[in-house]
Amino acid sequence: MESILVLTHADESGAALTRPSLEAVTAGLALAARLSAPLAIGIVAADATAAANSLASTGGRLLAVSGEAFAQPRYATDAAACEALCRAAAATIVLAPGSSRFTRVAAGVAHRLGGFIDTHITSIAGTESVEATRWFYRQRIEAVLSRDARPWFLLLDAGTHAAFTGERASFLVGEVPVELPAIRTTVTGLRSPQQGAETIRPDAKLLFVAGAGWTKKQPDGQTHVAEAADLILGFLRATSASLGSSKSLVDQGGEGQSVLPFLTHLNQIGQTGATPRHPKGLSTCCHGEEPHVVGWRFIAERRAISLDPNCGWTRGKADVVYVADAFPVMAKLNALLDAAKP
Ligand SMILES: Cc1cc2nc3c(=O)[nH]c(=O)nc-3n(C[C@H](O)[C@H](O)[C@H](O)COP(=O)(O)OP(=O)(O)OC[C@H]3O[C@@H](n4cnc5c(N)ncnc54)[C@H](O)[C@@H]3O)c2cc1C
């Protein structure tokens, strides 16, 4: 019989679990129910009490590795913590969020346990065996994997499962002792990239995409890049949308043309960019070519504003296309959002 372990970790507050961790809990509960297998949930946090209380209603066995050494992500301590949790749970299937914290250590932990790992898992099915689904070749081919190797680690992509919520209750968590390895890394703080990253919001309900059209000459023969920047940033401020870009737009920086300074290649959506997951997407001044649109694979509802009635979006790639000038449309939209502010 399989024995399932879900690995989770705390967020920056040190106490609450991250949303991707809670999504992994949902996946673990469903898998354990289908296989009628025992479920354990492992917590890595400075103090695991609050996290454990939030998982009390799962009915799973709760294990924790806690202490100041586990307050910050660090390879040596996180790998030791995950290894200890896996050994304590005698897990054959290990589910973990594909967060930067766990993605960094999971392959190493699987190796230490003589196991196998697959990443970017989007769903898990099967009643007799475990069948894990992931996409290959830039989200063009979907494959279902099963393996005999155990323990089998599955790193889940964020946004693929509902986050677990349940009644909070006081719960006694089983502390798993860890023999700390020599620690060479001291975490002194966090530093974010100066540009771009703060506009990328994976949890946002809406993806707003800017295309190269924003920087092109407009009907008056002039470019209006400063106005474009104001309109885009105003919309992001009002909606907390995540900002994506076409490749053409972010590439312009390297060509010395005038560009929107808050965009970097981190914002790029598409075949050679990101494939984010959002319930809705609004594309503006972008042609909707296939190498771009392939990055919209997981955007549920797609709308576009383009001047070109023959652009890729109008050829069946968007649910709704407004053939219109994005400058006045976005100005009007921002004014409506402003007026609707409480
Ligand atoms: C191997 C390969 C990989 C690639 N990977 C990617 C990728 O990952 N991501 C990506 O985005 N691209 C990628 N591309 C490039 C892609 O094919 C397109 O060239 C790119 O997406 C075009 O960007 P764009 O639509 O912003 O610019 P353009 O093609 O220049 O289109 C600009 C659009 O803006 C419209 N417009 C202009 N002014 C206005 C206005 N005022 N209001 C409304 N609309 C307006 C125009 O009508 C036009 O349709 C890749 C290409 C290759 C060959």
Side-chain angles (χ1 to χ4, degrees), residues 211-213 216 218 246-248 268-273 285-287 289 291-292 305-308 324-327:
K216 296 263 163 76
Q218 294 302 308
S246 71
K247 185 174 187 315
S248 294
Q268 185 185 318
I269 307 295
Q271 182 182 339
T272 44
C285 297
C286 166
H287 188 76
E289 275 188 36
H292 175 73
I305 307 170
S306 173
L307 277 178
D308 183 359
D325 186 332
F327 279 83

Side-chain angles (χ1 to χ4, degrees), residues 7 9 129-130 134 148 163 180 200 248 259-260 265 270 301 312 324 326 335:
L7 290 174
H9 63 80
S129 63
V130 181
R134 68 157 289 174
D148 294 330
L180 280 180
I200 298 168
S248 294
V259 281
L260 303 168
H265 278 98
E301 189 191 318

